[in-house]
Amino acid sequence: MTTSIVRAACPHDCPDTCAMLVTVQDGVATEVRGDPEHPPTAGALCTKVSRYVERTYHKDRLLHPLKRIGRKGEGRFERISWDEALTTISSRLQSIAARDPQAILPYSYAGTMGLVQGESMAARFFHKLGASFLDRTICATAGGVGYRYTIGARIGTDLEQFQNAKLILIWGGNPIASSVHFWMRAQEAKRRGAKLIAIDPYRSLTAEKCHQHIALLPGTDAALALGMMHVLIAEHLLDEDYIARHTLGFEQLKERVREWTPERTAQTCGITAQEVQQLAREYGTTAKGGDAVAIRVNYGVQRVRGGGMAVRNIACLPALVGAWRHAAGGVQLSVSDTFPKNNQALQRPDLLPVGAAPRTINMSTIGDDLLREASPEFGSKIEAVIVYNSNPVAVAPESSKVAQGFAREDLFTVVLEHFQTDTADYADIVLPATTQLEHVDIHSTYGHLYMMANNAAIAPLGEAKPNTEIFRLLAARMGFDDACFKESDDEIAAQAFNKNDVRAIHFDWHALKQKGWQKLNVPDAPFAEGGFPTPSGKCEFYCARMQADGLDPLPTYIPPYESVASNPELAKRYPLAMISPPARNFLNSTFVNVQSLRNTEGEPHLDIHPIDAARRTIENGARVRIYNERGAFVAKARVTDKTRQGLVVGLSIWWKKLAADGRNANEVTSQRLTDMGAAPTFYDVLVEVERVDHRSIAR
Ligand SMILES: Nc1nc2c(c(=O)[nH]1)N[C@H]1C(S)=C(S)[C@@H](COP(=O)(O)OP(=O)(O)OC[C@H]3O[C@@H](n4cnc5c(=O)[nH]c(N)nc54)[C@H](O)[C@@H]3O)O[C@H]1N2
Ligand SMILES: Nc1nc2c(c(=O)[nH]1)N[C@H]1C(S)=C(S)[C@@H](COP(=O)(O)OP(=O)(O)OC[C@H]3O[C@@H](n4cnc5c(=O)[nH]c(N)nc54)[C@H](O)[C@@H]3O)O[C@H]1N2
Ligand SMILES: [Mo]
């Protein structure tokens, strides 16, 4: 028996990007562990990824190409050869491209975050083809844009510093579920005497374990930040030297926040004026005392109409109190712009046909866009979609439209997948893809500062192939003969980071493969001496680029599309706000089909406050229907004061076909977009809830 340990990286869409050690016995992976030497991972994996071996060898893994023999969505397929699959796809794409290549759309997101198996060979392929561009907005663009306007780039506090903070605001995030290695640092800070405050409408697993929980109304975070700024300024809890040297527009900001008294803020946010005041005082006085105050802001705050502005306002806070002076102070939303990625080499936008300027389709409005006819504004009707690293039929908003779009008989759909997902059920051709244990990759991250390598631990299962190889083969069939279509995965990985950039001076692909990880060469405290990567070089309280983009150049509050306060007419029919944040044991819709993890989650639940439940004669455990004008789904009620009155919470994202009614939370979410970044508004939703008889659930 031969046993070896292979160095790998977790590929999932999570800030932690763990270093993994894979045990392989006679060619079979038997265990994955967290690397004890990699500082962010510290030897621990989350529950989900500890099951990566179970997921990889799952009896339902797709092992051969398939073609559809039933109706779209029905899920009846038969095995075909790779040769037949590639011939069918290439001839269909060629005939569509002969009319208009923009009728072809790639649809992908972060099923793997690898720079090789994500957008390298795939992007080259679609560039060469001249296909429509996809705007990848489904997760993080609202906050990313708001943060960039203010700070200049997605650069922030280093994960490895948080344990030295004296106060940590965990704002719109549930790291026990979604970023456990950040939570480990917050716990260490707590042991060293720090105070942890959760700002979240729901008493999440994390909020439950913080010293304080501020349960504001969803979509009102921008107002809370304005109220904090009002108190900080009114009570002179400021770092005037830092403001003078490293910020822009303080006088205008001061004017702007004058009206955001604690009382007004409290009324907007559905909390008390005292909570606003105390929060600001705690933040300001801790900083004034010379201690580090840190904010971990997460994507939970930016899935509403004013999501970009919310992140922008929050990102103003550290500069006001000089928190950036400390390595452990400041704010982290994402650190992804710290990595000098060489997208030019990876994705080769120069392959676009001469003169081509393809249109861009927003992945968050895929429901509407698949149903659009050709028009001068829209261009050609979408005739083909190639889906990889994503499961839009389960994860995209307003799901009934998405499913209707994918059900179009005249749409040619190819899905590259590990499993027969809700989306794969609508494919014409399904292609089996390898998992992280079976292919090579290189990763940047959005939560820590290490370049990460992934070695293949085992041979591909069945006839599965890496995404790169699938696009390589398709490129050959299409007659794309540029040299870059012949590069191996190792050759691609070796180009991932720009070595001329001082941050990546230690980047050497072959050394990285041996070692597994390597920290970027960056200072501990990114903005201790200012140097913000904005046009002014300062933290921009006043932002001229926002003005140019048609936005308010100063922090403001943009109320939700759907809330009792902002849309009372709608709220008469649908009085409850609904959010659907991640369940601990799933990763978006990935892992929902892993039995041991689904057993822990049980079935789709809806948390509802006792008063709201009583008004609807809903008892704990009752089956309820959650509905609005866009659709409906069924879940089991959990009557609990974890949620505030007026708010229901359905932890997500379930595979539709593994739910009793074949539906999930995205039946009721909308395709309306955020103020910045054209992102979805998953948590900007009003619904009504009613009790249903068990027998009346139709599939
Ligand atoms: N276990 C697990 N981990 C994951 C994922 C997963 O599906 N499962 N998904 C991964 C992905 S893709 C992402 S983007 C990240 C997401 O990571 P985060 O952005 O940290 O998201 P969550 O951990 O769900 O935390 C969101 C929290 O925001 C709260 N929230 C909802 N609306 C509001 C609001 O208006 N204001 C405030 N202040 N809070 C609000 C929710 O109640 C929830 O507790 O996690 C990643 N990690
Ligand atoms: N209601 C509601 N909806 C949401 C959210 C929410 O909070 N609430 N969160 C949103 C967010 S933050 C995000 S990021 C999106 C996530 O949406 P997606 O990016 O679509 O994420 P997943 O659902 O995890 O689907 C990823 C798929 O990629 C496949 N995959 C993984 N690795 C590979 C590979 O190497 N090759 C191929 N071909 N396939 C692979 C997996 O098997 C999985 O089916 O969902 C969004 N949708
Ligand atoms: Mo996400």
Side-chain angles (χ1 to χ4, degrees), residues 12-13 52 55 108-112 117 138-140 303 387-392 394-396 416-419 421 431 433-436 439 467 580-582 587-590 652-653 655 665-666 669 682-683:
H12 290 294
D13 187 353
Y52 205 79
R55 183 177 184 275
S108 66
Y109 200 62
T112 167
Q117 304 304 337
I138 202 150
C139 173
R303 306 198 198 286
V387 180
Y388 52 102
N389 304 339
S390 186
N391 184 11
V395 308
L416 284 61
E417 253 299 349
H418 298 152
F419 292 103
T421 58
L431 300 175
T434 46
T435 69
Q436 191 78 340
H439 57 225
N467 292 342
S580 49
L587 199 126
N588 301 322
S589 76
T590 305
S652 289
I653 308 171
W655 277 27
N666 279 318
T669 55
F682 287 116
Y683 305 164

Side-chain angles (χ1 to χ4, degrees), residues 87 185 290 427 480 547 551-552 698:
T87 305
R185 301 274 167 178
F480 298 168
Q547 178 117 48
L551 298 161
D552 191 328

Side-chain angles (χ1 to χ4, degrees), residues 58-103:
H58 196 294
K59 65 175 178 25
D60 298 337
R61 260 299 289 282
L62 294 168
L63 300 174
H64 314 284
L66 301 169
K67 79 170 175 203
R68 183 169 54 84
I69 51 168
R71 277 183 297 105
K72 292 207 173 191
E74 197 184 7
R76 290 204 299 130
F77 287 83
E78 74 179 20
R79 181 174 173 180
I80 55 172
S81 67
W82 269 104
D83 185 55
E84 181 183 344
L86 295 169
T87 305
T88 308
I89 298 167
S90 56
S91 61
R92 194 67 188 262
L93 295 185
Q94 266 162 340
S95 78
I96 297 171
R99 290 192 302 277
D100 181 5
Q102 295 185 60

Side-chain angles (χ1 to χ4, degrees), residues 134-153:
L134 184 74
D135 198 1
R136 293 180 171 80
T137 57
I138 202 150
C139 173
T141 50
V145 171
Y147 194 86
R148 280 204 191 109
Y149 279 135
T150 312
I151 304 291

Side-chain angles (χ1 to χ4, degrees), residues 572-593:
K572 278 185 201 153
R573 276 169 294 149
Y574 306 112
L576 299 169
M578 188 191 87
I579 57 173
S580 49
R584 184 180 193 176
N585 293 288
F586 303 149
L587 199 126
N588 301 322
S589 76
T590 305
F591 293 104
V592 179
N593 64 329

Side-chain angles (χ1 to χ4, degrees), residues 173-176 198 200-209 213 642:
N174 176 19
I176 292 183
D200 192 316
Y202 177 64
R203 200 166 75 239
S204 67
L205 291 170
T206 305
E208 209 149 57
K209 296 206 161 53
H213 173 206
K642 282 185 181 167

